[in-house]
Amino acid sequence: MKRVAYYKGCSLEGLAAEYDRSTRMVCEAFGIELVEIPDWNCCGSTPAHSYDPLLSAALAGRNLAIAADNGCDMVMSPCPGCLKSLKGAQETCEDPAQRKAFVDLVGRDVDGLKTVSLLQLLYEEVGPQALQKAVRRPLTGHVLVPYYGCLLTRPAEKAKFDDPENPISMDRLIEATGATVPRDFPYKTECCGATYGVTRNDFVGKLSGRILDMSQGLGAEAIVVACPLCQQNLDMRQDQINKYSKSAFHLPVPYISQVIGLALGIEPKVLGLDKLCVPADILLEDRSGEDGQARQPGGVAAG
Amino acid sequence: MLENDRNQLHKLVEEALPELDMMIGWAESCDPLQTTPVFIRDAKSISKLTLGPFCSQNLAGYLVKPPALDAPPKPDAKPIGICVKGCDSRSLVALIQEKFITRDRVRIFGIPCRGTVDFRKVAQRVPLANVKSATMEGDSLVIDDSGTPLRLDLEEVLARKCLGCRYPNPVIQDVVIGQEAKPRSSSLAATYRDVAAMDAKPLEERLAFWQSELDRCIRCYACRNACPLCVCQDRCIVETREPRWLTQRVGIPEKFLFHFIHAMHLAGRCTGCGECERVCPMDIPVTLIKEKLNKIMEEMLGYSAGLDPEAVPPLLTFNPGETEI
Amino acid sequence: MRIGVFVCNCGTNIAGTVDTAKVASEALAFADVVYATNYMYTCSEPGQQEIQRAIGEYGLQGVVVAACSPRMHEPTFRRAVEKAGLNKYMFEMANIREHVSWIGNDREANTRKAVDLVRMAVGKLRFNQPLFSSKMPVNKRLLVIGGGVAGIQAALDCADGGVDVVMVERKQYIGGKMAQLDKTFPTIDCSSCILGPKMVDVSQKENITLYAASEIESISGYIGNFTVEIRKKTTYVNWDACTGCGACMEKCPAKKAEDYFNEGLGTARAINIPFPQAIPKKAVIDAQFCRQLNGKKCGVCAKICPVKAIDFEMKDTIVTEKVGAIIAATGYDLFDHSVYGEYGAGRLPDVITGIQYERILSASGPYGGHIRRPSDGKEPTEIVFISCVGSRDQSVGRPYCSGVCCMYIAKQAILTRDHLPESNSYVFYMDIRAPGKNYDEFVRRAQEEYGVQYIRGRVGKIYQRGDRMVVQGADTLLGVQVEVEADLVVLATGVESSSGAGELAEKLRISYDQYGFYMESHPKLRPVETNTAGVYLAGACQGPKDIPSSVAQGSAAASKVQSLFAHDMIETNPQVALVNERNCIACGKCIQVCPFGAIQWKELRGGIKKAEVLPSVCQGCGVCNATCPPKAVQLQHATDNQILAEVNELCA
Amino acid sequence: MTDSSPRSSAPADETAATKQGIKIVGFLCNWCSYGGADTAGVCRFKQPTDLRVVRIPCTGRMDPLFIAKSLIYGVDGVLVSGCHPRDCHYAVGNFYARRRMEAFKAFLPFMGIDTQRFKYTWVSASEGQQWQKVVTEFSEQIHRLGPNPGVRLRSGDNSKVSSGLR
């Protein structure tokens, strides 16, 4: 019964509630006890560390300290942004120059804690074989494209997970659910436009548009993500992208936890599948008969 | 018990003497608390040989002092008989290691040792002038000082080097006389107890200690001459003008440097036989200096001197692999 | 003793932060110093004459020059004082430039330090003794390690000069990397037209002994008398019998052997002669792929070989050669680009290296000179070159510029346009490095006459799209992101030290930098010599360089060797150990510790033994001097008295 | 940060060495560390001025007694530097030195001489930056320790200190 401290983060309370709910369900299914960090606070994301890095480190550090006080040696955060802050706090604590200031603010050191993303937790603690055995409703016949985004495996020396340029962990998990993954999806770790969705919406149009186009070109029915911000750009802003690039993409963007949840036979509503902007009903079709054909990477460049 | 050891020695030497060039041993001397080295060539003086806690000299030194060194033994020369206690035998091994003598040059009479008496410790309990005779009875020393006989426990008057002795039994011998002796210490810590005590002191206190001790040194070089491994004798750099390492100026720096030179030249070679401290007329604990280097050699390189005739003293060789020191 | 002190201003290099006049005046106050002055440029001709004049006029018995590092001008000043009739070892230098003036601006402290250093030098000088070098015969044979163009040039120059040369080459053929090239810049003349005749000369000259497919096992000895053990690796073919007819190659059933010469583009037979002009033109069996040697029954080559040269039982043999000098010309290797995930980490078949593209362009290459893509053999129309792959990149530990990539990219782009007139070539570059004669004009021609599109920016990602590749990069001049759909991508992989360079350096006892390039004695004063006397460097083993420089260094090293061999005897270094027999106690410790076995016993009357140093074998390391308890053995010019004198000056 | 101020009021019988500021003697091997110091100079890497270099052919030439004599007679710091192990111009000189220096460094404090006044290290001819770092750090360490008191007795302080070993 693996006990893991669970740092939800603000986006999983708001826009990405379905990511939170599906994460809990999947972890429970695999017997991973998620101990939500009591009285957790903001992870010291961009607004904090652009103002004062030590403040950001201390904010994230406080969460780690509470997790450590609760006897957990591993902290999982589904949101890559929060994970970056948590790892930043550990680094500040280990840096001899700032260690004293950090420990004074947080009250203790946070050495020895292992901080992981949901993807890393599922891949390393559960693993494709265990997932394949636990599948109830295999997603055979569905073609899904794994989109990692820029933070899950980078920077390599800090993330220490999978290959920064060509990760395969999500590919294996999706294949374990029975779905088909195209042989080579080059935009696995290309930028989706991130926070530019607010200020320079055209960037998201071009960058996320390119990802949607390549996915459609590969015959994918959906793009699987593991980051609330990528999901927001690809899913919520899909119609803005269609307006910008005069295209007609209609690709659902479920979270990896939702896809795995479906395969485990968990009810779509419980997984919050209905909360996705682009409806993901296509995933519910039972195509156990035919085998999904992913077309070769080709197709015309968008816009 | 001491008596039949002595007779056994006499009998063995009697048998061996014809084949030997000479027999080096200890004989009683004018001072009941000390013996004197004796060089026996004819049978009638064999009876002079004695054993016991007063035989404190390390006879190995006589094999390499200059006269012997300058004229290497003729090929057909007869071997030299020599009595060696545990620590003396390690000096023999060291001499063999450094090829000052060859193994077949010596006929070794190994004497398991129960510790040697330090006459200074006796002097603290009874004025030396009054001591008429001293004999061993069991584990105690009976002193006749023309008053009531004084019975002293041997442990109280042992030489400092014997308190932490790990090798009372000879490590190399042709024949052994008497029963095995039990080592007084089997651990590194016990043997180097005094060194550890000194290491525990703060730096200033150690400096003050050595300043006052070495201030009393008169540079008589008795310690150097008594040391079996110090073979340079009159060519020693503390006395020669070429090269000019040390002047004859009387000052603490010069005395410090002399003892540094003696210690560093023995680093990795000294077997802790304690001769230098025994002969020092000013009661300076000079062996302590060499013991510190011996401790360093054991801890750093896992090497203790004078045990393996084939081994090479550590500072005369190297090991590319040891990156950790 | 009458000592003269000469404090050099070295222009402002020293005088800038050291009060040289004050140093000279304080030096005059030292005991034994009878003349002291400061001079603008002491190492200049007038400066040296000033020293010589002072020696005569003041009857100086010793000279101290306070100037730059003795590693730089000690030989210069020693010659100067020697001309004035003073033994050149009655001379000391105080380094008040590299160790004083250049490392601090505190004039008062610098001056005080300079005075101390002069006082130390004078202190040491008082104990200096005149030393005289003895003569030693030179074995006028040269060992060249490495058969690349630099090694070949050095070997041929020396052989023409009448020197016996032994060449050792690790591969089965000589010619090194240049043999793999099709054309060379900037004249685009064909590589084998330049190299071929030279390779033939090497094989035909009587006084060159070639050991191909051989490596250096061990090297001992010293300048003039090296003993070299060479390991002749087994080729399973008796080269004396083999005529190079190639019959075995046709019939050999193992067709999938690795083709090292063509950089893995094609496949080769297990028994192989890498290319038609190979010297020596002899077959070699690759034990990894040969069926017979891997336990299966075969032996086809042995059956059909007309001269029965095949011998499956052949073993390595060790040959010993005695030589007087060694030239290391071991060349370079190319950077392994698979560490770059952005360029596909070696997974994309049509992302190839510059040397592979050179083989594709070459008529003797795997595709007979037709440019085709390794993946499907189609002729590419869009070709992208990427420069600085594994060069100028700290993150992969290669911060240096490899110097040749910009030029060979331009060359290959021009050749591409010749082979495929309708093709388009793009070059992603950071800066164009074309410093040689006609080099920049050459690149300019590539841009203007051959329409090669130079894009100033790095490439961020290469990925497969359909059967083509998308090269995503930046164009920093236009300030935009650029995408190029390419059929073929050529990575200009950078130069790095050849594998095994470190082990060979330890055998040669020469030092090398953290990238494995050999350290020259001085970049400007002695560029082709090393700190080990008798060992010289040539070519890319000393650092990345192009063919013209490598050939020039080959000739330079050859001239150094020939000047060494111009005399029958060479002077031994008098800074060797010497035993004062009166103090020697024959303890043998010096003999035990001497790393070079340069000390032996000397029998005196009455069988008394003393140690004795062989001046020709002693290298002057001083370990014996540090070990000798009575200090009977003294390393001349670095005796205890001299070192103690310097220390005493600091304590006084 | 050069400390050229005269030393604190040293007892009367201190010799002239004390009035000249901190003095560190550096025994540098000619092939590597002396070359490294030259490289540091050529690259103008600033360094404190307390170091005085004595050029020796190899660290193998280093008799620990040179260090003993220096520290006993009042030099404030001793720095020994040679080629990295395996890079020695004489192949094994620095291997011999490594054992002798390490043994001597452990022996010094026993005699009451602060072992922080002696440092040995390996710097190659191309490591100018590393040499600057070594010299700067060691000079600061010696400045923190202050002038070397040496082993002379303070005048008039001949009180007997019992060896406590009898």
Side-chain angles (χ1 to χ4, degrees), chain C residues 529-546:
Chain C
E529 290 160 275
T530 63
N531 284 333
T532 311
V535 178
Y536 304 88
L537 301 175
C541 65
Q542 184 257 340
K545 54 175 59 67
D546 54 17

Side-chain angles (χ1 to χ4, degrees), chain C residues 283-333:
Chain C
V284 168
I285 295 181
D286 185 339
Q288 196 184 346
F289 297 96
C290 165
R291 295 189 178 161
Q292 177 79 13
L293 290 171
N294 285 308
K296 300 193 204 60
K297 242 197 78 36
C298 179
V300 165
C301 52
K303 293 193 194 67
I304 62 158
C305 175
V307 289
K308 296 288 168 274
I310 310 294
D311 168 8
F312 292 112
E313 304 313 318
M314 192 173 168
K315 292 282 175 289
D316 289 3
T317 53
I318 301 285
V319 174
T320 305
E321 288 279 358
K322 288 211 175 303
V323 292
I326 299 172
I327 296 181
T330 47
Y332 65 96
D333 274 341

